[in-house]
Amino acid sequence: MSDSICRRFGPGRLPYASRRDVGAGIAMAATGVLAIAIWFVATGLLLVTDAVPALTGGGDLEFAAAFGLLFAPFGVVTSFVVGTLCWRTVDTDAPNPTLGALLGACTAATGMVGGSLGVSLVFTVVVSVSALLFSAVFAGWLIVPLGAFGGWYHERARATATDGT
């Protein structure tokens, strides 16, 4: 039954989905999307019922739910890539559900790492841009003229050394 549903509506219609490795990558990405959906449904229910503020005292759940939005795209993409690579690396022709469970668990753990690294990358870019703007506004008035002076002096000294005067 799952085979016919997959081929009729889901990943079975995607390019290269019939290949063992790409099909596994698609399955791992779909599993990542399912995990994200369950995460947001669960956090939404906890937010609606106000069950968490009594335990944590505030906006921790809202923060966690919003943070999940940043992890989601990176985790799904990582799950697809790592799932494809895992199944490509392990070369067996016969289906092996135990091996599939092991590779799926490794892919899920790596998907969490990929999600974390993706969020770190986003924050790094944001902080870098903020730091650049901060330095331009507060120190640019000093640094840019000093840089111009240093460049001018270097070229002047080079010209003097070349001319011998």
Side-chain angles (χ1 to χ4, degrees), residues 82-121:
V82 172
T84 301
L85 292 175
C86 281
W87 265 266
R88 187 174 290 168
T89 302
V90 177
D91 188 27
T92 59
D93 291 331
N96 187 342
T98 305
L99 178 64
L102 177 65
L103 293 176
C106 291
T107 300
T110 309
M112 290 189 303
V113 171
S116 300
L117 291 176
V119 171
S120 299
L121 177 68

Side-chain angles (χ1 to χ4, degrees), residues 41-135:
V41 167
T43 55
L45 288 173
L46 290 173
L47 282 170
V48 168
T49 60
D50 281 336
V52 176
L55 300 173
T56 63
D60 296 338
L61 188 60
E62 290 91 349
F63 176 76
F67 216 61
L69 288 173
L70 292 174
F71 279 88
F74 296 107
V76 171
V77 170
T78 302
S79 294
F80 172 74
V81 171
V82 172
T84 301
L85 292 175
C86 281
W87 265 266
R88 187 174 290 168
T89 302
V90 177
D91 188 27
T92 59
D93 291 331
N96 187 342
T98 305
L99 178 64
L102 177 65
L103 293 176
C106 291
T107 300
T110 309
M112 290 189 303
V113 171
S116 300
L117 291 176
V119 171
S120 299
L121 177 68
V122 169
F123 282 136
T124 300
V125 169
V126 169
V127 169
S128 297
V129 169
S130 298
L132 176 64
L133 292 173
F134 181 83
S135 66

Side-chain angles (χ1 to χ4, degrees), residues 132-151:
L132 176 64
L133 292 173
F134 181 83
S135 66
V137 169
F138 291 104
W141 61 269
L142 176 64
I143 293 171
V144 172
L146 283 176
F149 173 75

